[in-house]
Amino acid sequence: MAKEERKKVINRPKGMYPLRSRIEDVYKLTVKAMQAGKPTAWSMVNWWEGDSIIMAMGIEAVYPENYGAVCAAMGAAQSYLERSDAEGFPSHMCGYARNCIGYAAEMKDLGEIPPDAPLGGMPKPMLLMAAGTLCDTRYKWFQSLGRYLDAPVWTLEIPQPGVEEALQEGVHERNIKFMVKELKELVKFVESLVKKKMDWAKLEEIVTDILEMNRIWYETNELRKKRPCPMHSRDFWTCMTGCLYPAGDLKELIRLYQNLHDEVQKRVDENVGAVENEKYRLVFGELPPWHSLKIFDQLAERGWNFVIESWAYHPPKPLDLSGISDPLEKMARFTYQWLTGYYNDAYENKEWWGYFAYPYLEYAKEYQCDGALLHPLITCRTATNHLYLVQDRLMKKYKVPSLVVEGDIVDLKLFDPADTLRKAEAFEETMEHNRELRKKEGLEW
Amino acid sequence: MGAQKGIQRANEIYRDRSRRVLELKADGKEIIGYLCIYPVIEMITAAGMVPYRLFGDIREPKTKVEACLPTVVCPYLRSVMDIGLKERYNFLDGVVMAHSCEVAEKLAHIWKTYIDQKYAFFLDVPHTIHDAAREQFRDLINDFKLSLEKYTGSPITDEMIVDAINAHNQQRSLVKELYDLKKSDKPKISGVETVKVLMAIMSLPVEEGNELLEEVITEVKGREGGDNDDKKRLLLWGSIIDDTALFELIEDVGADVVIDDTCVGTRPFFPDVELTDDPLVGLANRYLVDIKCPRTFKEANFGEKKKDYMEDLESRFGYIKQLADDWNVDGIILHSLRYCDIHGYDIPGLKDYFESVGIRSIYIEPDYTEAALAPLRTRIEAFLETLD
Ligand code: SF4
Ligand code: SF4
């Protein structure tokens, strides 16, 4: 058996594994918490501002977006998708949402967690915490869950200004104030829901932990600028979950992220790459095909290393919050920084789509990418509508070509790995050619 | 454009939307394109410029947009972008786009990247109607005002804003008057004609639009009454329809859209702006709270602790039932363009709601091409049969 086992082409850091098993633990914990009568919530990725509050109030959160990825990866999504279609929701909608709607419909029928639900399932929530950020689906989906659940929905607000508009006088501070006001309302609402007062000291501690966790994770990803890149996108996706969907013991999470960081640092010091012969450095655009992650091993065999990926799942650029005492304001500033942290640079470069699209330009340059693999998602507009712009800007500005391969995050019928590999082979020539062009233009890589 | 009046003039402008604004432009007026119904057009009028609604063209193959917007997004927005890339909106001096929906928000940035116009503004719109969100929206409208002032070099006073609000409110009451003419058993103006008139007035300065509406109303009032007495009366709900084709198809199979809740129809016209001490407060309330578009998150009771599904539906969709009752409709067509998330998610809830109040409905999901309408004919015919 051991003989036949092929050497893993992607050198995965050991520190990734405990972070991965935490996902499982968190679901189990939430189910247990529910059984023990603890309040539970379904939450959307909200870039920390809402999470910190419900955590401080002792509400256990599960994340149906992440659960969609889990169901997809474990091959359990199809029946939920079909159920959602049968309920009358248009089938071109978000795979995560359809997975969740199908799940909720079944849970309602059965009166309990569907017995075959992966990882013990998502327990019935007392609160649905939605966010309007980046995606219409996200709050419309939770609103439409009213068909199956009697939990109230709270929709978080995060302003989404344009690059120029954000830089109008006074706008930054006003947006922060708006976010803080909204968070105060959320605190009041959750207080009335769980019938207890906010423990501000606990919130402060949680916020501090979230910031620290993000700091370490940010720095880990900075290390990936090194040639050869020490950590592959696959590990980013596995490990981002802890940071993006904070739950459970944050101190423990920090420790796990620090271990991972140290391991990646060691690789940097020892010139160890995530892929043995790094021939091509690539940026990956948007969410991966969770059900077909093996494709990255196949590409790694060809020397493709994925050195950086989509902006939305990364921590914000560093921000000094030492002068801010109110934890709500700290959180608001941090979340706003995540969205607008690239705006000043984007403005200087006259790039008008300052989040999602512009960061790729910085990534390509700083991580010295030879190409981009862009994955438009048939059921997700949000993760898709910037990709053609990205393709165009990357080429025009830095002669970095893109390979565009359509697929989906949940519906495995929509991704064709064999075709992707064929295209990848041909794309290598394009990357080589553009490498020459970049040299001629005097670009650094 | 002198001799034509009323319906004939509306038809003419519908066919050749930019004709009048091009004349105005030649006289030195500035024309500002706006997308969807959230850009606060009163502000453009107050700044002395002409608001001109951006529409797509279902009859035009989308050949240029492939390079910058993927196929999985709203085909209407793709069409608008396609037309923009084909330089058919080059007569505009500027554009204002808003966070009406997610893709519209993104389109604002893409448009600004690819289409060079003297002025471009993106108006963010909060998702909720919480108090803080209303205040925020008031301030965002103020940002828009400041940016227009910077562009024109002249201040926009409260008085100018109030005048613009009054002119647009007048337009709104004229549109309501027009729709009132469709309440009777024999509606004097058809769905097809209504769309043409509305698209025409969204291509004119507000005062000219009001004149046109007055002419249309006088003309229509003088009509004998339509031949619609045996036609089924329908309500059309949903995402944008900026063409007569669907209305023609519906008429063809023996029905008429007597009332709608769409963003070329009643949605941008029915709610008025209340005149408040600070006029921006009234504008913020009207656009954020009073406009009934599913893009804004609303709920039965703000801060409710348990959701009552039927109560929630009643609070979100009760106004549609009211329209259905007032216009005495036989059935409802629910329309969500392919890839329109904010309308699509409401479909099962709307179906549940109308079922609970005993109104039949059918859901259609065309993709903004003429070809996609043909197969709908049989479905709509079959639906009409169920209404007997
Ligand atoms: S961003 Fe995409 S994947 Fe996420 S909720 Fe929205 S549509 Fe779904
Ligand atoms: S049809 Fe839907 S997706 Fe398209 S612009 Fe309107 S709301 Fe947005």
Side-chain angles (χ1 to χ4, degrees):
Chain A
M1 187 79 187
K3 250 195 201 160
E4 281 160 30
E5 222 173 65
R6 289 165 62 194
K7 185 168 180 276
K8 290 229 166 71
V9 268
I10 300 176
N11 180 6
R12 311 204 63 174
K14 286 194 192 63
M16 173 274 295
Y17 295 101
L19 277 162
R20 185 168 73 183
S21 56
R22 259 199 85 261
I23 306 176
E24 206 162 315
D25 297 346
V26 166
Y27 282 100
K28 288 187 184 141
L29 273 177
T30 343
V31 176
K32 264 200 201 138
M34 177 204 65
Q35 283 159 350
K38 266 188 103 178
T40 49
W42 289 5
S43 175
M44 328 210 100
V45 54
N46 56 74
W47 294 279
W48 315 286
E49 58 164 17
D51 297 320
S52 53
I53 290 170
I54 58 172
M55 284 183 89
M57 295 298 289
I59 299 178
E60 300 282 340
V62 281
Y63 295 86
E65 287 157 313
N66 185 38
Y67 195 64
V70 168
C71 290
M74 297 178 73
Q78 213 57 35
S79 71
Y80 296 138
L81 298 182
E82 280 159 20
R83 176 70 196 259
S84 164
D85 297 353
E87 292 289 296
F89 289 91
S91 57
H92 56 74
M93 291 180 164
C94 169
Y96 289 170
R98 286 161 62 223
N99 183 73
C100 175
I101 288 168
Y103 175 90
E106 280 197 18
M107 184 158 75
K108 187 181 176 198
D109 284 354
L110 298 168
E112 59 181 20
I113 292 177
D116 47 358
L119 302 184
M122 295 190 293
K124 192 171 177 289
M126 76 175 310
L127 167 68
L128 296 166
M129 193 163 70
T133 335
L134 302 188
C135 167
D136 288 332
T137 282
R138 295 170 9 101
Y139 65 105
K140 294 305 292 179
W141 152 19
F142 271 20
Q143 187 178 42
S144 64
L145 283 178
R147 257 184 136 212
Y148 314 104
L149 300 166
D150 59 5
V153 181
W154 186 275
T155 299
L156 288 158
E157 292 273 21
I158 303 176
Q160 245 169 280
V163 165
E164 249 185 315
E165 292 77 9
L167 301 173
Q168 268 177 287
E169 205 186 319
V171 167
H172 187 282
E173 286 310 297
R174 189 189 70 219
N175 284 346
I176 300 292
K177 267 194 198 138
F178 168 47
M179 291 172 78
V180 173
K181 268 193 210 161
E182 281 289 315
L183 292 180
K184 278 188 182 148
E185 284 296 319
L186 173 62
V187 170
K188 266 199 257 164
F189 175 61
V190 180
E191 282 179 341
S192 70
L193 203 59
V194 295
K195 298 191 187 72
K196 70 175 194 198
K197 285 280 164 206
M198 168 60 88
D199 178 344
W200 292 97
K202 190 165 174 203
L203 178 65
E204 173 72 47
E205 191 185 339
I206 288 170
V207 169
T208 307
D209 288 346
I210 288 179
L211 298 185
E212 176 61 2
M213 180 165 71
N214 273 284
R215 183 191 66 74
I216 302 167
W217 186 219
Y218 178 84
E219 282 173 9
T220 310
N221 285 293
E222 285 290 288
L223 294 172
R224 298 167 68 197
K225 289 178 180 167
K226 175 84 188 343
R227 269 179 197 274
C229 167
M231 191 180 100
H232 189 277
S233 291
R234 276 203 72 168
D235 297 307
F236 174 85
W237 291 315
T238 306
C239 299
M240 73 178 186
T241 314
C243 194
L244 213 49
Y245 307 102
D249 180 352
L250 295 183
K251 300 263 187 305
E252 169 67 2
L253 259 180
I254 289 175
R255 195 182 61 75
L256 297 179
Y257 274 112
Q258 186 64 54
N259 288 348
L260 176 70
H261 173 275
D262 296 348
E263 188 181 349
V264 175
Q265 176 69 60
K266 189 159 176 270
R267 286 184 174 192
V268 168
D269 298 341
E270 295 170 358
N271 275 325
V272 175
V275 165
E276 205 165 333
N277 293 308
E278 180 182 280
K279 244 168 110 185
Y280 304 106
R281 296 169 64 86
L282 286 107
V283 49
F284 187 88
E286 269 319 307
L287 287 166
W290 296 115
H291 38 73
S292 306
L293 290 172
K294 261 216 311 268
I295 184 91
F296 292 99
D297 298 277
Q298 290 159 317
L299 291 171
E301 280 174 16
R302 309 186 60 85
W304 291 37
N305 200 357
F306 284 83
V307 300
I308 187 73
E309 52 292 299
S310 334
W311 152 88
Y313 318 101
H314 275 269
K317 284 188 168 185
L319 177 71
D320 179 12
L321 291 168
S322 55
I324 311 293
S325 54
D326 173 14
L328 294 182
E329 185 180 336
K330 241 186 233 177
M331 216 58 266
R333 286 186 185 279
F334 190 68
T335 302
Y336 193 65
Q337 168 76 355
W338 158 76
L339 188 92
T340 60
Y342 288 85
Y343 274 32
N344 282 318
D345 296 339
Y347 180 76
E348 270 167 31
N349 284 287
K350 300 246 168 307
E351 295 289 339
W352 303 123
W353 193 341
Y355 65 95
F356 265 135
Y358 175 72
Y360 284 93
L361 288 179
E362 262 192 44
Y363 290 162
K365 190 167 173 237
E366 292 186 5
Y367 288 77
Q368 304 208 326
C369 297
D370 299 297
L373 178 54
L374 306 179
H375 183 222
L377 305 176
I378 291 171
T379 64
C380 170
R381 277 144 280 297
T382 301
T384 298
N385 47 29
H386 56 289
L387 291 180
Y388 294 129
L389 177 69
V390 166
Q391 178 181 23
D392 185 43
R393 305 309 297 152
L394 279 176
M395 194 61 194
K396 284 207 175 108
K397 197 146 185 178
Y398 294 132
K399 298 277 174 296
V400 171
S402 303
L403 174 61
V404 180
V405 182
E406 287 198 343
D408 195 48
I409 33 180
V410 177
D411 198 336
L412 51 106
K413 290 180 301 210
L414 301 174
F415 181 75
D416 184 344
D419 186 50
T420 306
L421 276 178
R422 267 193 301 277
K423 285 182 178 152
E425 228 178 294
F427 185 63
E428 287 174 4
E429 234 175 80
T430 315
M431 287 196 282
E432 295 287 359
H433 172 68
N434 281 283
R435 208 176 249 171
E436 291 306 313
L437 293 181
R438 282 199 302 276
K439 242 189 234 157
K440 273 189 204 149
E441 289 200 1
L443 289 161
E444 277 164 49
W445 74 106
Chain B
M1 193 140 252
Q4 291 164 346
K5 278 186 159 295
I7 293 280
Q8 204 194 354
R9 184 164 170 234
N11 284 346
E12 193 52 41
I13 301 172
Y14 170 76
R15 262 200 300 274
D16 184 6
R17 286 186 59 229
S18 59
R19 201 168 115 188
R20 177 60 188 147
V21 287
L22 287 173
E23 287 172 5
L24 291 164
K25 196 172 162 71
D27 290 342
K29 271 268 181 199
E30 295 222 36
I31 319 296
I32 301 292
Y34 67 97
L35 186 76
C36 296
I37 60 177
Y38 281 88
V40 177
I41 50 177
E42 286 83 348
M43 210 52 88
I44 305 174
T45 300
M49 300 192 281
V50 182
Y52 180 89
R53 176 112 182 236
L54 299 173
F55 289 126
D57 184 350
I58 68 162
R59 293 155 212 269
E60 165 96 18
K62 302 177 197 81
T63 51
K64 290 236 163 186
V65 70
E66 301 303 330
C68 62
L69 256 186
T71 40
V72 297
V73 307
C74 170
Y76 151 71
L77 291 174
R78 293 183 83 238
S79 175
V80 172
M81 187 69 210
D82 191 64
I83 292 174
L85 290 168
K86 288 172 180 159
E87 304 189 351
R88 276 167 52 189
Y89 277 131
N90 272 18
F91 62 89
L92 297 172
D93 296 282
V95 288
V96 49
M97 299 193 181
H99 193 159
S100 37
C101 66
E102 220 51 56
V103 186
E105 181 245 334
K106 267 89 194 188
L107 184 70
H109 312 317
I110 296 182
W111 185 281
K112 195 164 165 171
T113 305
Y114 289 102
I115 298 175
D116 199 15
Q117 256 143 1
K118 285 189 283 176
Y119 176 79
F121 187 83
F122 168 69
L123 178 69
D124 192 18
V125 186
H127 283 95
T128 67
I129 56 171
H130 302 162
D131 290 347
R134 293 184 203 200
E135 285 164 28
Q136 166 80 352
F137 194 48
R138 183 251 167 238
D139 292 343
L140 285 159
I141 297 173
N142 194 48
D143 292 346
F144 178 34
K145 179 179 108 137
L146 293 172
S147 109
L148 281 171
E149 287 176 336
K150 193 170 156 205
Y151 172 68
T152 60
S154 334
I156 301 171
T157 62
D158 277 5
E159 225 183 332
M160 291 154 108
I161 299 173
V162 169
D163 286 349
I165 291 175
N166 284 331
H168 283 278
N169 274 351
Q170 194 199 343
Q171 180 152 99
R172 288 162 190 143
S173 47
L174 288 167
V175 170
K176 278 179 250 175
E177 204 180 325
L178 188 70
Y179 271 90
D180 280 345
L181 300 175
K182 293 147 74 79
K183 277 184 175 162
S184 68
D185 285 351
K186 295 185 177 185
K188 291 186 175 185
I189 176 165
S190 69
V192 172
E193 285 176 317
T194 311
V195 175
K196 288 183 179 175
V197 172
L198 297 182
M199 286 180 64
I201 62 172
M202 288 187 262
S203 320
L204 294 173
V206 63
E207 298 80 9
E208 287 190 28
N210 291 354
E211 261 170 47
L212 177 61
L213 277 167
E214 278 166 4
E215 289 166 13
V216 167
I217 289 166
T218 314
E219 184 183 329
V220 170
K221 274 185 178 162
R223 284 177 173 173
E224 280 291 294
D227 58 351
N228 291 358
D229 43 350
D230 55 353
K231 283 193 169 168
K232 291 279 176 265
R233 301 170 64 86
L234 298 180
L235 183 152
L236 179 62
W237 173 93
S239 39
I240 190 160
I241 307 171
D242 53 355
D243 192 281
T244 53
L246 178 63
F247 295 86
E248 280 160 12
L249 186 153
I250 290 169
E251 283 181 20
D252 233 37
V253 295
D256 191 19
V257 175
V258 292
I259 185 70
D260 63 76
D261 177 23
T262 72
C263 49
V264 172
T266 64
R267 233 181 249 170
F269 292 107
F270 272 25
D272 279 340
V273 177
E274 194 191 321
L275 284 171
T276 41
D277 291 345
D278 169 1
L280 302 192
V281 169
L283 285 168
N285 284 340
R286 189 260 178 189
Y287 280 87
L288 188 63
V289 184
D290 299 341
I291 286 187
K292 302 279 191 296
C293 171
R295 62 83 51 206
T296 308
F297 178 83
K298 291 179 180 156
E299 57 198 341
N301 308 301
F302 170 52
E304 62 196 354
K305 293 196 197 116
K306 273 244 180 274
K307 176 165 261 170
D308 180 301
Y309 181 51
M310 289 321 289
E311 195 189 333
D312 185 59
L313 295 183
E314 178 62 45
S315 81
R316 285 164 55 208
F317 306 136
Y319 74 97
I320 310 173
K321 162 137 194 327
Q322 194 60 51
L323 292 176
D325 288 348
D326 293 349
W327 270 264
N328 192 23
V329 310
D330 300 302
I332 295 184
I333 297 185
L334 303 171
H335 163 271
S336 177
L337 272 184
R338 174 85 39 92
Y339 304 127
C340 172
D341 286 335
I342 60 174
H343 286 86
Y345 277 97
D346 277 1
I347 298 300
L350 282 160
K351 292 208 125 231
D352 290 344
Y353 177 68
F354 292 124
E355 212 175 294
S356 78
V357 294
I359 306 177
R360 281 184 194 276
S361 65
I362 179 182
Y363 171 51
I364 59 172
E365 191 186 285
D367 67 359
Y368 202 81
T369 58
E370 260 188 307
L373 294 178
L376 290 179
R377 172 180 289 267
T378 22
R379 285 195 59 214
I380 295 176
E381 264 172 336
F383 174 61
L384 295 179
E385 269 165 34
T386 67
L387 303 181
D388 283 327

